Amino acid sequence: MPPSSFLYVLRRLLTGAHGRGLHAKATAAASAFTALFLLASSLVIVPVERGAPQATITTYPRALWWSIETATTVGYGDTYPVTAWGRVIAAFVMLVGIATFSIVTAAIATWFVNNAARDARRLAADAGRLGQSGEREAEEAFRALHDRFDRLEHALTNSTAPGTQDGPGRRQGRGAPGDDRRGDTGREGT
């Protein structure tokens, strides 16, 4: 079964480690109660509706079909109760169906949220461990880079003798202001 199928999720919910929680037990109990209630309401509504004029729920198979479509709130309109007691039974079937689907939906949502929360806690713990080690690695890399720049600066300052290379702020071919080296003629502008 593929991991995205509903039956796979339901099986993991009911049999997995997280399936032993209260929400899974509530889902199983609500589903079992609903199935028994639908069977019982189908048995009860047949005698209530059978003798009524224009009754559509006259056999047990039709009553079972009616109870399933009423509990799931589909309501095709092909079968419906016509007596007052039949409508009272229908109201209870509707309420039980809505409650069951609410419980099942909440249980599945809780399962997904619990899995997401567990994954988030695991990722946070991993990020914390990586953050600490990453911080140390960044600090070591920064120190190594700083040492390298210090060596480069030291090498540049020791190899540059005054007057042998143009330093910062000096123009190529011309001396610094106040220096006697001013180009070809010795005077500017001539």
Side-chain angles (χ1 to χ4, degrees), residues 78-186:
D78 56 344
T79 55
Y80 51 89
V82 293
T83 64
W85 283 109
R87 291 180 181 161
V88 168
I89 294 169
F92 280 111
V93 170
M94 288 178 219
L95 290 175
V96 167
I98 291 169
T100 300
F101 285 109
S102 299
I103 291 169
V104 169
T105 302
I108 291 172
T110 301
W111 182 73
F112 279 118
V113 168
N114 286 343
N115 282 343
R118 186 186 70 236
D119 291 346
R121 283 191 300 271
R122 187 181 314 131
L123 285 173
D126 290 346
R129 284 192 299 272
L130 289 176
Q132 290 171 353
S133 67
E135 195 174 296
R136 275 183 260 141
E137 288 175 10
E139 211 171 285
E140 290 171 7
F142 179 73
R143 281 190 196 126
L145 189 59
H146 192 279
D147 291 343
R148 189 173 180 187
F149 279 134
D150 283 346
R151 285 192 307 271
L152 183 63
E153 183 180 15
H154 186 268
L156 285 174
T157 55
N158 288 340
S159 68
T160 306
T164 58
Q165 288 185 334
D166 289 334
R170 296 183 179 177
R171 287 181 239 157
Q172 185 72 25
R174 294 183 163 242
D179 198 285
D180 289 332
R181 296 181 311 148
R182 300 233 172 175
D184 297 358
T185 61

Side-chain angles (χ1 to χ4, degrees), residues 39-60:
L39 292 172
S41 64
S42 298
L43 281 173
V44 171
I45 202 162
V46 171
V48 170
E49 291 286 313
R50 185 173 287 158
Q54 301 176 358
T56 57
I57 306 171
T58 55
T59 64
Y60 183 73

